[in-house]
């Protein structure tokens, strides 16, 4: 199993540009989540999904959209990037109580 | 909602000594408290967890204690080794439902040889 994979590893955007961060898992987990990690603030939940076709907002959802058309994939979309979205983004899937995190995407918005 | 405070933000100990990281939580309904280790350039990885019906849990050199009355829990690492150097995060949540983890701010642990 590859576990949770994320692409790209690193991305530079200009303010106003859009992009999609990809996340995939091959463990057939129903639950998936997106977090952002900022210095001194730990990880904060952006959006989560409890299964295909079902998504909900987390703690910091503004500026981000998600969809869950399949169990395997959970992409995160930035419609109009802002410098405040510069961060490291982690996708996770969950089985039972245990969350499995991907390696992260480092995003820089200029 | 839940709020988790973690201390200290940085911790430096000599190899072989013990390290203790403490967290407090605000929501008395939280019943699951995991600890994650994040190595440089990688995603967080679960190292140990504890449920609210247990006061202490051990796994080799790592232990976690929970005080429900005071709403705080701690990570204890004994006989520290250089590979223990990493950032550690505590978290709290309610197991039922979507289980939205709320993380502490993180502790950067450095083991000095």
């Amino acid at each position: 199993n590859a576990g949770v994979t994320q692409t790209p590893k690193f991305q530079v955007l200009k303010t106003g540009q859009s992009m999609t961060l990809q996340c995939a898992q091959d463990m057939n987990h129903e639950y998936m989540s997106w977090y952002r990690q900022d210095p001194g603030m730990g990880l904060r939940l952006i959006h989560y999904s409890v299964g295909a076709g079902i998504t909900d907002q987390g703690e910091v959802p503004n500026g981000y959209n998600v969809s869950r058309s399949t169990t395997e994939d959970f992409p995160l979309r930035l419609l109009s990037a802002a410098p405040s979205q510069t961060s490291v983004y982690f996708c996770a899937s969950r089985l039972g109580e245990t969350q499995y995190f991907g390696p992260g995407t480092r995003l820089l918005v200029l | 909602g839940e709020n988790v405070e973690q201390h200290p933000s940085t911790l430096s100990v000599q190899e072989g000594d013990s390290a203790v990281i403490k967290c407090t939580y605000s929501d008395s309904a939280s019943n699951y408290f995991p600890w994650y280790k994040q190595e440089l350039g990688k995603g967080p990885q679960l190292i140990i967890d504890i449920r609210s019906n247990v006061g202490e849990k051990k796994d080799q050199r790592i232990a976690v204690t929970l005080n429900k009355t005071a709403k705080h829990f701690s990570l204890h690492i004994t006989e520290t080794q250089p590979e223990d150097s990493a950032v550690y995060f505590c978290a709290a949540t309610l197991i039922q439902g979507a289980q939205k983890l709320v993380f502490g701010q993180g502790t950067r642990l450095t083991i000095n040889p």
Side-chain angles (χ1 to χ4, degrees), chain B residues 79-97:
Chain B
E79 302 174 5
T80 54
Q81 300 170 3
E83 53 265 36
D84 294 330
S85 294
V87 178
Y88 291 81
F89 291 96
C90 63
T93 190
L94 182 66
I95 290 179
Q96 290 78 8

Side-chain angles (χ1 to χ4, degrees), chain A residues 31 35 37 40-45 48 50 57-59 90 94 96-104, chain B residues 32 34 36 38 41-46 49 51 87 89 95 97-106:
Chain A
Y31 294 80
Y35 293 85
Q37 183 177 26
M41 301 186 72
L43 288 88
R44 292 180 293 168
L45 182 64
Y48 65 95
V50 300
Q57 296 181 349
E59 180 185 356
F90 290 99
R94 177 167 74 89
E97 291 108 29
T98 304
Q99 298 224 14
Y100 299 87
F101 286 85
Chain B
Y32 177 67
Y36 287 83
Q38 185 179 27
K42 297 184 178 180
Q45 184 174 13
L46 180 70
D49 56 14
R51 295 192 184 197
V87 178
F89 291 96
I95 290 179
Q99 194 199 343
K100 294 180 282 186
L101 282 175
V102 178
F103 284 84
Q105 296 84 353

